[in-house]
Amino acid sequence: MKKKVAFYTLGCKLNFSETSTIARSFVDEGFDRVDFAEAADMYVINTCSVTENADKRFKSIVKQAQKKNPDAFVAAVGCYAQLKPEELAAVDGVDLVLGATEKFKITDYINDLSKNDFGEVHSCEIEDADFYVGSYAIGDRTRAFLKVQDGCDYKCTYCTIPLARGISRSDTLENVLKNAAEISAKNIKEIVLTGVNIGDYGKGEFGNKKHQHTFLDLVKALDTVDGIHRLRISSIEPNLLKNETIDFVSKSNSFVPHFHIPLQSGSDTILKLMRRRYLTNLYIDRVAKIKEVMPHACIGVDVIVGFPGETDEHFLETYHFLNELNISYLHVFTYSERDNTVAAEMDNVVPKNVRAKRSKMLRGLSVKKRRAFYESQLGSTRTVLFESENKEGYINGFTENYVKVKAPWNPELVNTLHTITLTEIDEDGLVRFDFVKTEAAV
């Protein structure tokens, strides 16, 4: 009988792409991959440490695995496993904890899958995480997450990612193009580029800091890969999103008019405390440039509320800054203290109830911004890629500029591209449309 292995991923798109690569290594070793809700011989949990809640969720996920099979071997990998390996190893039921360099060699660390009395830890000094492992994830058969870069050289005062993932390093251009071609051969219509700091692409391509390629080189090369209908850039730092890249995307074959650009605060005072590498003026310039060459572009924004020292005045500065900016939606994060960060030692801590209130205000603003963006798109003709899930009798899809649409469920639409005209916003906030009857589905 083949052994069964199941995976659970916490956190970002990058983690999902790495879980897929780890899972493929198990299949190569003769395992059957099953859903995490099923009984398995081994459970692998890919952890995240960006927020407090991700830490807490780990224990409940271990318990879920133990309910399915109390004798299953449980392994923890990922960011939290690198930052606090002993803490994870001490969780009841955990047998193996692997850090940043070991996670891709997980099959080397398992023998007969017999339970350990104590969690066994193999974690490196983060300075040793200086080599690159490429990966990609195929999610719902309609899009794939392609990892192009890992690690970060920035020293933002709130962030543990450099401690969890090491220095900035990149895949070779040749390997990225090979992975993209593999994905395209599987009839997947959209690739989302992912990494920790993808605008830094090129750094560490040769295991050192020598640059041969830049992010713009990467974008230009990917635009020539046959069979990819859509390429989407995931989160990119405003200081690394150059005019040349924006101009290229506006004219490219495959890149879509959708940018996700972390802001974190609309107050220059707070940005300096965070040690971000730009001020609000640069951010205004980025948004203006995108809208100048792609007026219909969707722009998403990350923002953190409740950072130490953020007064009511600083928060209102952020609120008004975002309210006046021509953006499409927000991802709002409530600041949480992380061990071994500069911010955790800062004075003027914002009370948690104040953080929660500010978060709620910005989430409300995000709803308003998304609605206004969707309204601005009504009457326009777009291309939609339909998803694979039946959601209460409806099928959803996203236009190239990230408007979420809905239609009555039709399995024939799954993973197809269609030209549509956006007509009205439904009561659930999604957009209805009419098909443009000029072409067959792609």
Side-chain angles (χ1 to χ4, degrees), residues 355-373:
R355 299 183 208 182
K357 181 183 168 190
R358 291 176 184 172
S359 177
K360 190 175 178 183
M361 283 178 69
L362 283 186
R363 287 178 207 280
L365 180 61
S366 181
V367 170
K368 188 179 109 177
K369 285 284 183 184
R370 194 184 296 268
R371 175 90 189 188
F373 176 63

Side-chain angles (χ1 to χ4, degrees), residues 4 6 33-41 43 64-65 68-69:
K4 293 179 179 176
R33 182 178 181 179
V34 298
D35 193 84
F36 199 83
E38 295 179 39
D41 300 289
Y43 293 91
Q64 286 174 39
K68 293 293 170 195
N69 179 5

Side-chain angles (χ1 to χ4, degrees), residues 359-401:
S359 177
K360 190 175 178 183
M361 283 178 69
L362 283 186
R363 287 178 207 280
L365 180 61
S366 181
V367 170
K368 188 179 109 177
K369 285 284 183 184
R370 194 184 296 268
R371 175 90 189 188
F373 176 63
Y374 282 7
E375 284 175 352
S376 76
Q377 296 304 300
L378 295 180
S380 65
T381 299
R382 299 279 170 239
T383 306
V384 64
L385 173 60
F386 286 103
E387 311 266 296
S388 59
E389 205 178 330
N390 183 342
K391 295 201 171 173
E392 298 175 357
Y394 287 94
I395 188 168
N396 293 338
F398 285 94
T399 64
E400 65 273 35
N401 62 339

Side-chain angles (χ1 to χ4, degrees), residues 157 267-276 278-279 346:
T157 53
S267 160
D268 286 343
T269 304
I270 300 299
L271 287 174
K272 288 172 185 172
L273 285 174
M274 290 175 165
R275 290 191 198 154
R276 301 292 287 157
Y278 55 86
L279 296 174
M346 286 182 176

Side-chain angles (χ1 to χ4, degrees), residues 231-233 236 241 245-252 255-261 283 285-301 325-330 369-378 380-382 399-404 422:
L231 285 154
R232 200 177 292 275
I233 299 168
I236 181 166
L241 179 57
T245 304
I246 296 168
D247 282 328
F248 182 80
V249 167
S250 74
K251 301 181 184 78
S252 77
F255 278 89
V256 296
H258 175 207
F259 296 86
H260 194 94
I261 314 169
Y283 201 93
D285 287 349
R286 301 298 80 212
V287 171
K289 174 63 181 176
I290 291 166
K291 288 294 185 177
E292 176 197 327
V293 295
M294 291 171 274
H296 60 298
C298 179
I299 302 175
V301 182
L325 209 55
N326 192 1
I327 54 158
S328 315
Y329 64 91
L330 306 173
K369 285 284 183 184
R370 194 184 296 268
R371 175 90 189 188
F373 176 63
Y374 282 7
E375 284 175 352
S376 76
Q377 296 304 300
L378 295 180
S380 65
T381 299
R382 299 279 170 239
T399 64
E400 65 273 35
N401 62 339
Y402 215 56
V403 174
K404 191 173 185 179
L422 303 174

